[in-house]
Amino acid sequence: MNGHNIMTTAIENNIRLLEARKAQVQTKGSEPFNIACEKQSVAGSVSQRACVFCGSRVVLYPICDALHVIHGPIGCASYTWDIRGSVSSGPQLHRMSFSTDLQEKDVIYGGEKKLEKALLELIAHYNPKAAFVYATCIVGLIGDDMDAVCRRVSARTGIDVIPVQSEGFAGSKKDGYSAACHALDQLVGTGDTSDIKPLSINILGDFNIGGETWVIKDYYEKMGLQVVSTITGDGRVDDIRKAHGASLNVVQCSGSMKGLARMMKEKYGTPFMHVSYFGIEDMSRALYEVADHFGDKDLLKRAQDMVRDEVMRIMPELRKIRQDLEGKKAAIYTGGAFKAFSLVRSLRTLGVQTTIAGSQTGNPTDYKQLAELCDDGTIILDDTNPLELAKFIQETDTDLLIGGVKERPIAYKLGVAFCDHNHERKDCLAGFEGMLNFAREVHGSLCSPVWKFSPFRQKHKEAVGSSQTTEKPKATYIPTNVIKPGETSGGGGESKFATLTIGATEVAK
Amino acid sequence: MSLLRHTKGGEVHERQALTVNPAKTCQPVGAMYAALGIHKCLPHSHGSQGCCSYHRSTLSRHYKEPAMAGTGSFTEGSSVFGGQANLLTAIENMFTLYKPDVIAVHTTCLSETIGDDIPQITENAIDKGLVPEGKFVIHANTPSYVGAHPTGFANMTKAMVDYFAKSTREDKVARRVNIIPGYVEPADMAEIKRLAKLMGLDPIMFPDTSGVLDAPQTGVHEMYPAGGVTIDELIAAGDAQQTIALGPVCSGPAAKALYAKCKVPQTTMGLPIGLAATDKFVMAMRSLNGGFVPEEIKYERGRLLDLMTDMHQYFYGKSVALWGDPDQLVGLSELLMSVDMLPKYVVTGTPGKKFLKRMGDVLGDKVHESFVRQGPCADMYLMHQWIKNEPCDLLMGNTYGKYIARDDDIPYVRHGFPILDRVGHQYFPTVGYKGAIRVLEQILNVLMDRQDRDSPEETFELTM
Ligand code: SF4
Ligand code: SF4
């Protein structure tokens, strides 16, 4: 590797934005704020976006006692095989990959027969509660009548076989969410609701990544609510069937489950509200608003007690973490814009400023709200690409990127810390304990000693001059799972290493 | 509770309509990988956004590197009227913004089914002045319903020959040898080049992803890392004395095309995995360098042989389940046979004519003890059923074996593509004599760990 490479920066290369993309990038404060979005990616851009099928697949996937069959060539199936960390407390059927693996002759003569055979075989073998059949691009093109196949199979097997109209080219991931909602709509309303109490809700739009649905469900149950169904995290077909019996739909995440909530409102009159479970502020507000909705004093009281207890439980550690993070800068690039709001707030709780905020699929209202929330000078992006992202990160001297799988290596190559807040994250980031996990994760990456060796940081240090080194102060917070000698609980950096305990022997230092 | 509790043993019934837990991915990801092995090349996925996003994610997960590629962003309109407008816009945008030297277009199932004529659209782009002077657009057709990722790799590698290789003189350049490395890791490509240079040859290797997908952290977002075969080298390949194609499925077509186009003689052989296969590769190079093998290579070979003899009793009679790409499977099987291990179960989802015959040759008289399956329903599910019916001692293949490894508690060595849950494949080659040492070491580690774990106290050994 030649030495000069290491010292050139993308900024020196002076990257131009694609003309057509200019309207999709704006800086907060440069009024009027009028970002272009909801556009198909420009052909030829290295877009970070996925397709309709991807949207449907990630939304329906966590329904773990259903069969998920992908009608199409092999790739669409093999790339979505068990890639989302949605956890199930029971069946694991959803983690298998079933594909009709279309071959050339199917493309020419149609794949209906093959699909039908596959479905019959699978249903006989696995005995699922229902089956979802996903259309991929090519199915849309060769004109297979999936509806007819599903109807036939349904009649023969006696279970719901539901087509998901998710041809990839027919829009963006967001359209996939809506196709998924239409599929779910076919299940809702088919179950018995006699055992459902008035104080009851459905949890919509949480996918139980790292067990998040469990945490949220637990909060609501502690408040005294009956949770009828969780759609779709740790989802079960039979629960979804009776979802219309719940008194309220609590919907997380702007994009994915709004459609279902709307449909249920229309059909069954179920009211819905939007919430977010990320960060202390948003989490607490969610619980309060739900309590308010029912106008029940006991609910509210229990919610208040719980919030107080939980906040008290996590605050001491958060404060310590904040000491290390104060003044750091973060870039956020999420799938839906809704999550970005929560992240801006959560980062503020940690003393971290947001320099760049963007999403793959936000709409004008989302971005307006995002801009209002952010400080002046924050760059707002719609459907960005790696070059842009890298450019802005370097220009704003950002320390941390929050994003998904395609963003991770970009951050690391730049020598910037990273936190995965997408579906590949491993830990629960929702709720109060999720906030703590989030803080720990951010701290773990931002304060890692590896960045000391990063050329970008070193170069920056030289540029700024050694007197004003940007090198981070030494981390004082120590994660609780590392118990320091002389302390019963973890955290805190005050204690002096007067002695080291090695086994049973006290060794004077 | 077992994750794959749905898989039961018993009679393995024939499926025709269905692939469960595939042992392959699709063509474009192979084409994308190959294209990244050209210096300053931007792959372009001519189709919808989703495919491209999946392919890039898969490469990113496997290499822990950014994988750049453009997407045609097909819409409903393109699926009706064809993707010409998309490709023209894409070519213009990519050259303007990302400034590659080459755009390598591959198709997807969608654009294939629509029937877009890429060369014609490219001509059009050139006529319209969208391709700057000295820049290139190449293409490969990669419909996934007729092949899998190795096919895509082969097609894009052949495209490099079709578009660039030129015969510029009567006689060929002595000692210049084209090496087509096959679908192997960047570390393998670097190792193959190292061996060729040690042999005193002047290798042109294509594709060459070393220095691209194993690039160092520089603090810069390098759109085009330093590695990759250059256009000049690809042109010069037409004057080489010989082409050595490693792996008939992935490298064969390009070598044959180069012979047809520039009359460069070619030998196609298996991947140099294990002692015998590496010998073959070294011998092929020896026939070009005037007949010598440097001490360094002899020494490496000796060390491998030493390891094989030192540890042979640990390998003896162990049975292995393998899945992955045909060229890799043949190479691994040969290596396993050489230490008296049995490739008992072998599946590949990748089609290709000679695979079963090649496996038959490698297995020799053990052929009746092995189950080998190829094609659409040759998947992980089938393999698991076989294992349920009769267990084996070791699993070797990509990440998708981890369910079986856990479910049936079988020692497991990760090998092939993709590996989404471990590192190492980026850094350490498995080809050549040194690579074989690594593979054997990996095998020994898991087998001996298992022995340590399972042996009763009396026979638990310190020295092994
Ligand atoms: S459509 Fe074809 S190219 Fe695209 S992901 Fe599916 S199999 Fe691969
Ligand atoms: S073929 Fe269509 S559905 Fe499949 S991954 Fe590609 S864009 Fe998505």
Side-chain angles (χ1 to χ4, degrees):
Chain A
M1 221 49 50
N2 27 12
H4 74 270
N5 260 345
I6 295 178
M7 287 303 166
T8 25
T9 73
I11 308 169
E12 287 160 19
N13 294 340
N14 196 11
I15 299 144
R16 291 199 291 139
L17 292 180
L18 268 182
E19 260 329 295
R21 277 208 37 78
K22 275 200 176 139
Q24 280 168 283
V25 178
Q26 281 221 338
T27 310
K28 163 81 185 288
S30 63
E31 305 300 332
F33 188 83
N34 188 15
I35 195 168
C37 53
E38 292 186 302
K39 303 205 311 189
Q40 193 78 9
S41 300
V42 184
S45 61
V46 181
S47 168
Q48 308 292 81
R49 276 182 178 171
C51 65
V52 180
F53 161 69
C54 180
S56 299
R57 176 81 171 124
V58 293
V59 164
L60 295 176
Y61 167 81
I63 305 174
C64 53
D65 55 356
L67 183 74
H68 300 266
V69 179
I70 295 156
H71 187 35
I74 195 68
C76 316
S78 69
Y79 301 119
T80 49
W81 178 7
D82 203 12
I83 53 164
R84 191 175 216 197
S86 300
V87 210
S88 157
S89 57
Q92 304 287 345
L93 185 57
H94 64 306
R95 301 182 65 180
M96 305 268 288
S97 173
F98 301 108
S99 163
T100 45
D101 195 357
L102 291 178
Q103 301 296 304
E104 196 162 20
K105 64 173 191 316
D106 308 318
V107 172
I108 299 166
Y109 301 111
E112 287 178 28
K113 283 216 184 70
K114 198 171 190 184
L115 176 63
E116 185 162 346
K117 256 171 93 179
L119 282 168
L120 289 171
E121 211 171 302
L122 283 169
I123 292 168
H125 191 70
Y126 292 106
N127 226 340
K129 292 274 185 190
F132 293 100
V133 185
Y134 301 80
T136 59
C137 285
I138 208 162
V139 173
L141 211 66
I142 60 181
D144 278 2
D145 187 350
M146 263 180 36
D147 286 0
V149 174
C150 290
R151 268 198 308 274
R152 279 201 298 274
V153 177
S154 200
R156 267 186 72 175
T157 56
I159 69 162
D160 280 304
V161 180
I162 302 168
V164 187
Q165 298 303 344
S166 53
E167 290 86 347
F169 56 74
S172 73
K173 212 166 159 178
K174 227 170 158 179
D175 301 287
Y177 298 153
S178 125
C181 289
H182 278 287
L184 286 167
D185 179 48
Q186 298 188 32
L187 279 180
V188 175
T190 57
D192 170 24
T193 56
S194 53
D195 63 339
I196 298 175
K197 302 188 190 80
L199 290 184
S200 57
I201 59 166
N202 296 310
I203 299 178
L204 263 58
D206 192 278
F207 302 102
N208 205 29
I209 293 164
E212 289 175 350
T213 307
W214 298 332
V215 170
I216 304 302
K217 191 176 172 192
D218 188 52
Y219 293 158
Y220 286 129
E221 284 176 351
K222 275 194 190 138
M223 277 168 65
L225 290 162
Q226 179 185 3
V227 176
V228 178
S229 69
T230 54
I231 304 177
T232 58
D234 199 13
R236 297 293 189 285
V237 172
D238 287 342
D239 293 342
I240 298 171
R241 286 184 192 286
K242 49 185 195 183
H244 60 297
S247 310
L248 174 69
N249 278 329
V250 187
V251 191
Q252 192 195 213
C253 179
S254 57
S256 62
M257 280 290 131
K258 215 190 233 164
L260 182 65
R262 284 216 191 95
M263 288 175 215
M264 285 177 67
K265 171 126 200 246
E266 221 163 83
K267 265 198 191 165
Y268 312 102
T270 319
F272 65 89
M273 65 168 55
H274 286 298
V275 296
S276 164
Y277 301 127
F278 298 116
I280 294 178
E281 277 176 82
D282 288 11
M283 183 66 236
S284 316
R285 191 180 313 138
L287 299 178
Y288 293 153
E289 282 179 2
V290 171
D292 274 349
H293 170 87
F294 287 101
D296 183 300
K297 285 217 178 60
D298 292 341
L299 276 185
L300 188 62
K301 172 81 178 47
R302 281 192 290 264
Q304 283 165 340
D305 289 348
M306 186 162 59
V307 168
R308 196 189 48 241
D309 290 353
E310 290 288 326
V311 172
M312 267 167 56
R313 191 167 66 88
I314 63 171
M315 253 350 244
E317 198 173 333
L318 283 183
R319 247 182 242 122
K320 278 175 194 151
I321 293 176
R322 189 184 161 119
Q323 283 172 14
D324 289 343
L325 301 186
E326 197 93 54
K328 293 278 187 290
K329 293 187 236 168
I332 299 171
Y333 191 67
T334 55
F338 214 61
K339 192 192 276 172
F341 306 157
S342 297
L343 285 172
V344 172
R345 290 195 198 100
S346 302
L347 287 168
R348 247 182 221 147
T349 311
L350 297 175
V352 178
Q353 181 206 342
T354 303
T355 49
I356 302 164
S359 82
Q360 290 175 26
T361 56
N363 65 33
T365 333
D366 293 338
Y367 285 120
K368 230 177 132 224
Q369 208 179 330
L370 187 59
E372 273 160 25
L373 187 64
C374 291
D375 301 327
D376 272 0
T378 306
I379 298 164
I380 314 278
L381 298 167
D382 176 61
D383 182 26
T384 191
N385 61 58
L387 266 190
E388 257 177 38
L389 206 55
K391 167 184 138 87
F392 289 130
I393 287 175
Q394 294 196 305
E395 282 179 357
T396 52
D397 190 25
T398 292
D399 306 281
L400 168 80
L401 174 61
I402 302 183
V405 56
K406 285 189 292 285
E407 286 78 53
R408 181 197 299 267
I410 299 169
Y412 289 161
K413 269 285 177 294
L414 291 174
V416 167
F418 182 80
C419 168
D420 195 332
H421 210 293
N422 210 333
H423 55 244
E424 254 170 82
R425 64 181 186 265
K426 307 289 181 242
D427 289 328
C428 163
L429 299 182
F432 300 103
E433 53 189 273
M435 178 64 203
L436 192 52
N437 285 336
F438 174 67
R440 284 178 184 162
E441 238 176 66
V442 167
H443 183 271
S445 188
L446 259 175
C447 296
S448 167
V450 298
W451 307 124
K452 273 202 308 237
F453 303 103
S454 152
F456 175 53
R457 295 282 155 215
Q458 276 174 5
K459 166 143 198 227
H460 199 76
K461 204 165 96 187
E462 282 162 27
V464 179
S466 51
S467 56
Q468 293 181 335
T469 167
T470 57
E471 209 171 330
K472 296 162 193 71
K474 217 173 156 43
T476 53
Y477 163 77
I478 293 173
T480 32
N481 50 356
V482 183
I483 307 267
K484 287 206 318 182
E487 277 183 345
T488 42
S489 78
E494 307 80 27
S495 112
K496 303 266 170 328
F497 281 89
T499 58
L500 279 173
T501 312
I502 301 173
T505 329
E506 288 256 297
V507 183
K509 204 176 169 198
Chain B
M1 250 190 300
S2 91
L3 250 179
L4 296 183
R5 73 187 76 131
H6 306 286
T7 312
K8 313 225 164 50
E11 197 196 329
V12 176
H13 71 289
E14 291 301 319
R15 284 171 284 139
Q16 281 149 22
L18 182 68
T19 293
V20 184
N21 300 349
K24 61 172 176 179
T25 61
C26 67
Q27 278 217 46
V29 77
M32 201 181 266
Y33 178 58
L36 288 168
I38 303 175
H39 183 59
K40 288 200 78 174
C41 172
L42 185 61
H44 178 68
S45 167
H46 184 58
S48 327
Q49 284 175 29
C51 308
C52 183
S53 166
Y54 284 141
H55 303 143
R56 288 178 54 216
S57 300
T58 305
L59 290 173
S60 270
R61 290 185 179 112
H62 179 85
Y63 292 106
K64 314 261 180 269
E65 290 286 310
M68 294 299 138
T71 167
S73 300
F74 274 35
T75 57
E76 243 158 345
S78 349
S79 77
V80 179
F81 302 114
Q84 156 136 330
N86 297 61
L87 188 52
L88 292 177
T89 318
I91 289 174
E92 183 177 13
N93 279 339
M94 287 194 283
F95 279 126
T96 313
L97 180 65
Y98 304 117
K99 300 186 177 60
D101 284 353
V102 191
I103 293 173
V105 182
H106 61 260
T107 54
T108 68
C109 300
L110 180 61
S111 51
E112 279 295 328
T113 312
I114 296 169
D116 281 346
D117 184 345
I118 310 292
Q120 190 229 314
I121 301 174
T122 310
E123 281 298 308
N124 216 329
I126 296 171
D127 291 346
K128 286 191 154 80
L130 302 178
V131 183
E133 194 59 36
K135 309 266 174 163
F136 305 89
V137 178
I138 67 173
H139 94 287
N141 290 93
T142 50
S144 282
Y145 44 79
V146 290
H149 59 285
T151 331
F153 182 95
N155 290 344
M156 186 52 82
T157 306
K158 178 172 171 289
M160 296 174 198
V161 171
D162 293 342
Y163 277 91
F164 294 118
K166 248 193 218 113
S167 172
T168 62
R169 41 193 272 177
E170 274 301 292
D171 56 330
K172 296 292 177 190
V173 179
R175 292 187 180 227
R176 181 186 296 167
V177 56
N178 302 319
I179 302 182
I180 311 177
Y183 202 135
V184 293
E185 297 294 340
D188 294 321
M189 297 191 184
E191 176 66 5
I192 290 167
K193 247 187 335 197
R194 185 186 69 94
L195 288 172
K197 284 184 183 154
L198 278 175
M199 292 295 289
L201 298 174
D202 170 20
I204 294 176
M205 189 163 76
F206 64 92
D208 182 2
T209 57
S210 63
V212 180
L213 286 165
D214 58 356
Q217 199 218 78
T218 55
V220 182
H221 177 75
E222 300 268 13
M223 190 77 192
Y224 307 106
V229 63
T230 62
I231 306 295
D232 289 345
E233 287 173 314
L234 283 172
I235 295 169
D239 288 331
Q241 187 188 357
Q242 174 87 27
T243 300
I244 301 179
L246 303 173
V249 172
C250 291
S251 305
K256 285 195 194 96
L258 191 50
Y259 176 72
K261 189 177 181 191
C262 304
K263 292 285 158 302
V264 180
Q266 62 101 11
T267 33
T268 301
M269 57 182 71
L271 288 174
I273 297 178
L275 192 129
T278 307
D279 279 354
K280 234 192 233 162
F281 176 48
V282 170
M283 286 305 124
M285 292 192 286
R286 202 181 73 153
S287 69
L288 305 171
N289 73 359
F292 79 98
V293 177
E295 279 313 307
E296 195 170 340
I297 292 184
K298 284 187 193 156
Y299 185 78
E300 286 170 14
R301 182 182 193 278
R303 283 209 295 196
L304 167 61
L305 186 56
D306 196 50
L307 171 70
M308 289 164 70
T309 45
D310 284 349
M311 306 309 280
H312 70 274
Q313 68 272 43
Y314 288 96
F315 299 118
Y316 168 71
K318 295 277 191 282
S319 60
V320 189
L322 302 159
W323 63 95
D325 310 345
D327 292 338
Q328 291 278 356
L329 291 172
V330 171
L332 281 179
S333 297
E334 199 180 355
L335 175 141
L336 293 171
M337 293 288 290
S338 74
V339 289
D340 221 351
M341 295 173 81
L342 175 70
K344 185 168 170 166
Y345 304 126
V346 184
V347 297
T348 180
T350 305
K353 276 178 224 124
K354 301 214 179 83
F355 175 69
L356 293 178
K357 181 181 176 308
R358 285 163 70 204
M359 280 306 299
D361 292 346
V362 168
L363 289 165
D365 55 3
K366 293 270 173 92
V367 76
H368 302 293
E369 296 170 43
S370 289
F371 296 79
V372 183
R373 185 73 71 88
Q374 179 186 28
C377 296
D379 49 28
M380 300 305 290
Y381 182 82
L382 173 73
M383 168 155 289
H384 199 199
Q385 281 186 310
W386 282 343
I387 293 171
K388 287 268 183 215
N389 285 340
E390 204 180 291
C392 59
D393 302 305
L394 177 70
L395 303 175
M396 279 186 94
N398 60 30
T399 286
Y400 293 114
K402 76 187 292 180
Y403 305 101
I404 302 178
R406 180 185 160 105
D407 203 33
D408 285 82
D409 194 22
I410 303 172
Y412 168 34
V413 170
R414 283 168 181 76
H415 186 101
F417 178 87
I419 295 176
L420 310 172
D421 59 341
R422 293 292 186 274
V423 292
H425 52 277
Q426 302 97 325
Y427 310 117
F428 307 110
T430 55
V431 298
Y433 301 119
K434 277 189 168 179
I437 291 181
R438 165 148 160 96
V439 177
L440 291 177
E441 184 230 358
Q442 286 179 304
I443 294 175
L444 277 172
N445 281 345
V446 297
L447 291 179
M448 292 165 114
D449 279 350
R450 181 52 53 102
Q451 186 177 329
D452 280 344
R453 192 195 77 180
D454 291 350
S455 58
E457 235 167 55
E458 318 80 83
T459 55
F460 179 68
E461 290 173 292
L462 177 67
T463 317
M464 293 170 88

